[in-house]
Amino acid sequence: METLIRAVLESEEKKDFQQFIEQLSAIDRVYLLRNEILHAFANYCQEQEKPVYFFRSSAIGELIHAIHEMLLEDGAIWLMLRTRIASQESWWLSADLSQFKPVSVRALLDVRDRFVHSEHSQILKINFQPFHRDTPSIDDPRNIGQGLTFLNHYLCDQLSANPDYWVQALFRVLQRQEFDGIPLLIGDRISSRMQLHESVAQALKKVSQYPSDTPYTTLHPALQELGFEPGWGNTAGRVYETLELLERLLTTPSPALLEAFVSRIPAFLRVVLVSIHGWVGQEEVLGRAETMGQVIYVLEQARHLEQQLQADVQQAGLAWLGIQPQVTILTRLIPNCEGTYCNQRIEKLEGTENGWILRVPFREFNPNVTQNWISKFEIWPYLESFALDAAPQLVRHFGGNPHLVIGHYSDGNLVSFLLARQFNAIQCNIAHSLEKSRYLFSDLYWQEFEPHYHFSAQFTADLISMNAADFVIASSYQEIVGTPDAIGQYESYKCFTMPQLYHVVDGINLFSPRFNVVPPGINELRYYPYFQTESRHQRDRVRDLLFHRQDAAIFGTLDDAEKCPILAVGSISQTNNQTGLIAWFGQSPTLRNRCNLILITNKQHVTEASTPEEAREIEKLHALIAQYQLAGQIRWIGMQLQSDEMSEVYRVIADKRGIFINFARFEAFGRSVLEAMRSGLPVFATEFGGIAEIIQDGDNGFYINPTNFDDTTWKILNFLNQCDANPQLWQTISDRAIQRIDRHCNWQTHVKQLLLFARIYGFWDYISHSSREALQCYLDALFHLLYKPRAAQILDEHKQR
């Protein structure tokens, strides 16, 4: 980056850079982010009548495009440059551009603090970098999120370089496999790795004498005599395959062999999924608006995990021992449950043999609060006591300790950290969405956000849990490290400041092999293509709902119901940006003449709002509809639809050759986008977030920039015009969307990968346990000295309600 800065400051472009900085200073902006900087530079190029190449291809253009933050101080310019994905540099330039130098992260954080508070004081520095030194790390940023592949290669390289140590480690891992006192895989008769090698050869010879379909029970006496216990397979053929994998792994290790063998180890038979918020139940008890997507994800993941574990137990030959795997969703019990089952301690998970929902109540510090639903932004004071209360209930429920704890969202991940440590279990984190990226300057202005969002507790919890996890599942690569033009959700935790609270100098190792990208699945039985008409029993009723029915929760009567429908779905929030959607639609007469807008939200009236933010957004929506006189061109359905109704909504819009739009400012991995694509709708979705990894622009859907109204309008009208000229185009995009979801968003693949991660990372955790002790002490200190005081302040507020 020094070369590029020097190229600008030691050429004629220095004058342009100086004028550009002066122009920024004149508009009284001190702290600018990338989009603002690029917009201002585009205006500068236009005003100065620069050639087209100058905006991006000149040296100054390249430098401007690399700047993600700019701070203008008296006598200095501070730049945060993102030279490539997952790589940031900080630079200081004198105001007259005569000097420049790289600066440390600490210096940049101090400047950010001064921007908010002129008084500078000593502040706590959080730095996880020392704990990264002794752990393997990915080199190429393109491989971030492929942690399993990297770790397999790393372990096999280590096995080849030091076979005695690693074979001994593998032997110890196999030796400790058991379930409720029942030894699995190898018993006491095999007491060394050398004996293991010899016994495997003898077992292979013995098993080869039986027909491949011989049940394991027939083989058991002979294998036990050689030192082998159940778990190798349910038939002679399966046992032979597993033993042969182990023999090859011991002699000629490779990543593929390691993965294939470890995937067969019958470990992690008790799994708990932690989803704290509550309102987790069957079918229509799917969370509140702010957590609905997460709850649907958790229920589907739990069902498919349980089904996969049942199949694994059968294939491992353990069913004859009466071993039953179990998957349990841990959530909170809500006494005031509004007629649902959310006040019941235990509930069977439909579609499973041994899947459950276990509900544990929050302690009643103030029943007016704890007996009711609590927003995800207010839940922090209750998590530690919840974990303490849940632990013994889980043990009783499982009949033993859970082996794998999967956290969902920031609060569930923190509870998973507390539980996994207590049970000595493997911890998996799934963030779903990290709020830090969803609210602009949420760290820098945390004190202003604090009364409503309590980000000081949440961001601290995130730092603790993401660094404690044995492995992390992200839905997309962008969720971790963003794009060349945008910082990822996890990357935003790399370095940041919360003025007067703490500086994070190094908050996360983005190159850690703990990160793995695995998209979620979709309920294929519910969200199926529109042309499968034999199952569409709700079609007429949903068509009436979308275009004709009159109801207090429905706004608008369409002047022409035959115009092309544009469907938008989502709970009301600033991030989901329904106000931006209405403004965009209202400002385009051509679009309004061509299309109707169908907006489906969870509510429509201010009196229904559960948060001040939601109330403000509803008021703005009504005001914008009136401002642009959209009556007759919009249908706003503000009600909670049943799942079978919602799935049919997409298909009815597809019947009319409509389109789906996601206008969010940021979308981690939009469930509604996946549902729309599987139903056969062409999708126009925000380019900000992870959904761009499912959509291939122009092939099976389209990206839009919700801040660029003109470009979004052109994209949609151009598509519709092309469809008029070539009706097959709509069908082509529709078919490709369905195929894309079927290939890449599959629950069966998801849970197989998740269990493989648990087994590989469990092996890694066992052999590297001692190196994590210092990290655990550091995390404990952050929890007790930072997190708990922030949570206690929220609890004090709740006690006054």
Side-chain angles (χ1 to χ4, degrees), residues 45 207 250 346 483 516 558 608 614 624 646:
C45 292
V207 174
L250 293 172
I346 194 78
T483 68
N516 290 276
L558 299 176
E608 301 171 310
E614 201 171 51
L624 286 166
M646 192 61 243

Side-chain angles (χ1 to χ4, degrees), residues 325-361:
Q326 184 178 154
V327 174
T328 294
I329 299 171
L330 175 66
T331 189
R332 65 170 295 230
L333 184 148
I334 305 175
N336 295 335
C337 64
E338 301 179 20
T340 70
Y341 293 121
C342 293
N343 63 347
Q344 293 188 4
R345 178 183 176 273
I346 194 78
E347 184 178 357
K348 180 74 180 295
L349 188 60
E350 294 175 2
T352 67
E353 292 183 43
N354 203 10
W356 303 88
I357 301 170
L358 176 65
R359 302 185 181 93
V360 176

Side-chain angles (χ1 to χ4, degrees), residues 65 75 100 117 136 168 200 219 231 253 271 297 369 383 394 403 440 515 611 616 642 647 669 702 754 764 797:
H65 277 80
F100 64 94
H117 294 281
Q168 182 66 28
V200 167
L219 307 175
V271 181
Y297 182 118
V369 176
L383 300 185
L394 282 169
H403 307 128
L440 193 62
F515 285 105
T611 66
R616 289 192 298 270
Q642 300 291 308
S647 61
F669 204 74
F702 303 89
L754 190 155
W764 172 253
E797 296 170 11

Side-chain angles (χ1 to χ4, degrees), residues 179-180 270 326 392-402:
F179 185 82
D180 288 352
R270 295 188 181 115
Q326 184 178 154
Q393 293 202 40
L394 282 169
V395 173
R396 287 196 298 272
H397 172 70
F398 278 120
N401 288 352

Side-chain angles (χ1 to χ4, degrees), residues 475-547:
S475 296
S476 67
Y477 177 81
Q478 292 188 34
E479 185 179 337
I480 307 170
V481 288
T483 68
D485 298 330
I487 290 173
Q489 292 186 61
Y490 281 96
E491 187 181 359
S492 72
Y493 285 79
K494 182 68 175 174
C495 62
F496 65 95
T497 177
M498 301 184 79
Q500 298 184 314
L501 185 60
Y502 56 68
H503 284 174
V504 176
V505 177
D506 192 323
I508 189 70
N509 179 13
L510 300 168
F511 292 85
S512 168
R514 290 178 299 145
F515 285 105
N516 290 276
V517 174
V518 187
I522 190 168
N523 188 330
E524 298 171 355
L525 297 178
R526 176 165 290 138
Y527 298 98
Y528 52 85
Y530 68 96
F531 48 75
Q532 295 181 9
T533 55
E534 65 278 2
S535 304
R536 295 181 55 185
H537 309 301
Q538 299 268 8
R539 179 163 50 181
D540 292 342
R541 191 163 66 83
V542 170
R543 185 187 294 122
D544 180 60
L545 168 73
L546 291 177
F547 299 104

Side-chain angles (χ1 to χ4, degrees), residues 745-759:
C745 297
N746 181 287
W747 276 120
Q748 287 78 19
T749 300
H750 175 98
V751 297
K752 285 180 180 179
Q753 285 292 100
L754 190 155
L755 290 171
L756 179 59
F757 297 155
R759 290 160 182 155

Side-chain angles (χ1 to χ4, degrees), residues 407-481:
H408 288 271
Y409 191 67
S410 296
D411 47 17
N413 287 329
L414 186 71
V415 172
S416 295
F417 156 70
L418 297 171
L419 292 174
R421 183 179 56 175
Q422 179 168 341
F423 294 132
N424 194 27
I426 295 300
Q427 178 190 348
C428 166
N429 275 21
I430 303 176
H432 292 278
S433 178
L434 292 163
E435 302 295 336
K436 189 170 177 297
S437 301
R438 297 167 66 92
Y439 292 83
L440 193 62
F441 292 127
S442 55
D443 49 1
L444 201 61
Y445 294 109
W446 70 273
Q447 288 157 309
E448 296 179 19
F449 283 101
E450 195 72 359
H452 298 298
Y453 299 106
H454 304 293
F455 287 145
S456 65
Q458 180 161 6
F459 298 168
T460 306
D462 287 335
L463 285 170
I464 293 169
S465 61
M466 67 177 60
N467 281 284
D470 293 286
F471 65 99
V472 176
I473 288 180
S475 296
S476 67
Y477 177 81
Q478 292 188 34
E479 185 179 337
I480 307 170
V481 288

Side-chain angles (χ1 to χ4, degrees), residues 250-270:
L250 293 172
T251 53
T252 55
S254 72
L257 285 174
L258 178 64
E259 184 171 315
F261 176 71
V262 172
S263 70
R264 297 191 178 204
I265 296 177
F268 306 104
L269 301 179
R270 295 188 181 115

